[in-house]
Amino acid sequence: MKLGRLRVWKIWLSILAALLLLPTGCAKKKEAKAPYRIGGIFAITGPASFLGEPERNSMLLLAEKINAAGGINGHPLEVIIYDTEGDATKAVLNANKLIEKDKVLAIVGPSRSGTTLAVVPIVEKAQVPLISCAASVKITTPVKKWVFKTPQTDVMAVSKIYDYLKGQGAKKIAILTVSNAFGDSGRQQLLQQAADYGYQIVADERFGPKDTDMTPQLTKIRGLKPEAIICWGTNPGPAVVAKNMKQLGMDIPLYQSHGVASKKFIELAGKASEGIILPTGKILVAGSLPDNDPQKAVLLQYISEYEAKYNSAVSGFGGYAWDGLQILAQALKVSGADRARLRDEIEKITDYVGISGIFRFSPKDHNGLNKDEAFVMVKIVQGNWQIIK
């Protein structure tokens, strides 16, 4: 009888132990972590789609890659991307939507200087980190607490061109700039830095973003006999300038800004693109870089992954968004889902080797690049890019 009771107790103890172990086992199962939500606003359609489309593609490609590797500390990345069409009003609407409705932790973009400058007051007020994909130095100078950018600045681009012109012996320069935020900022730097280099600006002409004929400005410039012409704009205007110069039979060396550093410009300008010189990020000549270049491996991997995914050539523009999301991912590992901590961690990032250069952010520098690491001078030869010294 006593042995029977012991067996019964043993059975009940076994059942009790199993019940106690049951919730413990369940607790061991990992619960899915909440996603880190990041916004993107790019000019995916419209005249600046050559900027926004590769930016969107690159952001999606990198998010997919990060999630396939397990996310950030187990948190998947969720990206929400809207199209600004290159329009400042739509950029503002989309930024507000990302902040108020989608509750994103940070925003990458916009693509253009004008649209970026339009959303800067919004992110500053809402205290949301923004990493712009636009060039104007005004975006991060003076430093704004919540605003960063990944492209090289127009200050660097102008300085790079002027450095090169010193070796060519040119002193008399004509400038032809587009009348928008990108062109305004570039024009300001061209005029401001000319005196430092001892150059004389003999012509200062403008063109509209939608203009289709620049022969009046070029005819005037030709009469002033400059030794070099610098055009500052984004497609399609600079391609029109190149074609008009050929039509007028002008053989003055033509320089362009980094705003046309993509195959799209060569497609638009055709044979008129031959011989044009411009500063650009290293991505266009990655295969020609020496093996000890710190960016070479990063660039070749990005190019390989992008072209395999989208079956189209890369540009530096997609790299701007790639760098923006990489920087956020690196900062999120430390900050978690806290906008203020995320901003602080972005500002601490240094020696990040990216597509546009090597980034060294600080409280005094929210771009973190320098012209000698971030730019090379290239010449268009037979429809391709060639590094020049």
Side-chain angles (χ1 to χ4, degrees):
M1 188 69 182
K2 286 182 179 178
L3 289 173
R5 283 179 179 172
L6 281 172
R7 288 195 187 97
V8 170
W9 274 108
K10 284 180 181 177
I11 291 169
W12 276 109
L13 285 171
S14 299
I15 293 171
L16 181 61
L19 288 172
L20 288 171
L21 287 171
L22 184 62
T24 305
C26 290
K28 286 180 180 175
K29 290 182 181 176
K30 289 184 178 178
E31 292 182 6
K33 291 186 177 180
Y36 289 152
R37 191 173 287 175
I38 303 295
I41 40 178
F42 307 119
I44 300 166
T45 61
S49 62
F50 68 96
L51 301 172
E53 185 178 357
E55 289 166 352
R56 177 211 46 199
N57 291 348
S58 296
M59 190 164 171
L60 291 173
L61 177 62
L62 180 55
E64 184 179 301
K65 184 177 178 179
I66 290 171
N67 286 336
I72 300 170
N73 296 335
H75 294 266
L77 268 182
E78 180 185 354
V79 295
I80 302 171
I81 298 175
Y82 295 125
D83 182 9
T84 68
E85 301 175 35
D87 180 80
T89 302
K90 289 179 180 172
V92 168
L93 288 171
N94 289 334
N96 280 320
K97 191 175 176 183
L98 285 170
I99 294 167
E100 294 169 10
K101 177 176 175 288
D102 300 318
K103 310 291 185 189
V104 297
L105 291 169
I107 298 172
V108 179
S111 310
R112 307 178 81 176
S113 297
T115 47
T116 295
L117 292 170
V119 305
V120 162
I122 295 166
V123 298
E124 285 284 294
K125 184 178 179 182
Q127 300 188 348
V128 175
L130 176 85
I131 301 183
S132 169
C133 295
S136 175
V137 70
K138 295 178 181 177
I139 294 167
T140 51
T141 305
V143 169
K144 298 157 189 73
K145 183 175 180 180
W146 297 88
V147 179
F148 301 81
K149 70 191 280 308
T150 52
Q152 307 89 342
T153 66
D154 36 28
V155 175
M156 298 176 199
V158 169
S159 179
K160 198 74 180 177
I161 293 174
Y162 281 175
D163 282 346
Y164 181 80
L165 284 174
K166 276 169 66 178
Q168 306 306 304
K171 293 288 185 182
K172 295 170 62 178
I173 296 165
I175 63 173
L176 184 54
T177 56
V178 66
S179 54
N180 61 20
F182 179 72
D184 292 345
S185 189
R187 175 176 175 268
Q188 183 180 346
Q189 288 305 316
L190 287 163
L191 293 172
Q192 193 172 309
Q193 294 189 41
D196 299 335
Y197 281 84
Y199 298 147
Q200 179 188 2
I201 302 296
V202 297
D204 176 11
E205 296 291 325
R206 311 299 308 272
F207 60 90
K210 296 181 180 178
D211 287 357
T212 56
D213 182 12
M214 282 56 141
T215 53
Q217 297 97 318
L218 289 168
T219 301
K220 183 178 176 182
I221 287 172
R222 181 169 58 181
L224 296 168
K225 302 186 184 309
E227 294 162 321
I229 298 174
I230 303 174
C231 175
W232 212 267
T234 55
N235 294 323
V240 175
V241 170
K243 285 183 172 179
N244 287 165
M245 281 186 67
K246 289 294 178 189
Q247 290 160 359
L248 291 169
M250 296 173 69
D251 57 1
I252 304 166
L254 175 61
Y255 295 78
Q256 296 276 1
S257 76
H258 55 318
V260 301
S262 75
K263 281 284 187 181
K264 186 66 178 177
F265 171 73
I266 296 176
E267 289 173 20
L268 292 171
K271 291 183 179 177
S273 67
E274 286 293 306
I276 289 175
I277 293 172
L278 61 142
T280 176
K282 295 176 180 174
I283 189 168
L284 297 184
V285 290
S288 302
L289 296 172
D291 290 341
N292 63 355
D293 187 290
Q295 283 183 261
K296 184 170 184 176
V298 173
L299 291 168
L300 291 178
Q301 184 171 353
Y302 168 66
I303 292 168
S304 171
E305 292 176 3
Y306 187 96
E307 292 184 348
K309 175 78 174 180
Y310 298 109
N311 195 29
S312 64
V314 295
S315 70
F317 308 128
Y320 300 156
W322 179 277
D323 283 339
L325 190 57
Q326 281 280 30
I327 288 165
L328 284 174
Q330 193 169 321
L332 278 165
K333 288 179 184 174
V334 183
S335 72
D338 182 302
R339 288 172 174 168
R341 288 191 63 200
L342 178 58
R343 189 219 76 88
D344 292 346
E345 293 304 322
I346 295 170
E347 199 172 67
K348 292 177 187 173
I349 286 177
T350 187
D351 293 329
Y352 158 64
V353 180
I355 306 302
S356 298
I358 301 173
F359 290 84
R360 299 179 185 89
F361 290 124
S362 74
K364 293 182 179 179
D365 186 355
H366 280 195
N367 181 218
L369 297 172
N370 74 64
K371 70 173 182 179
D372 294 323
E373 289 179 335
F375 271 134
V376 290
M377 292 297 289
V378 298
K379 186 176 186 177
I380 300 173
V381 179
Q382 296 182 341
N384 219 329
W385 316 97
Q386 187 176 93
I387 298 176
I388 56 174
K389 300 290 183 182

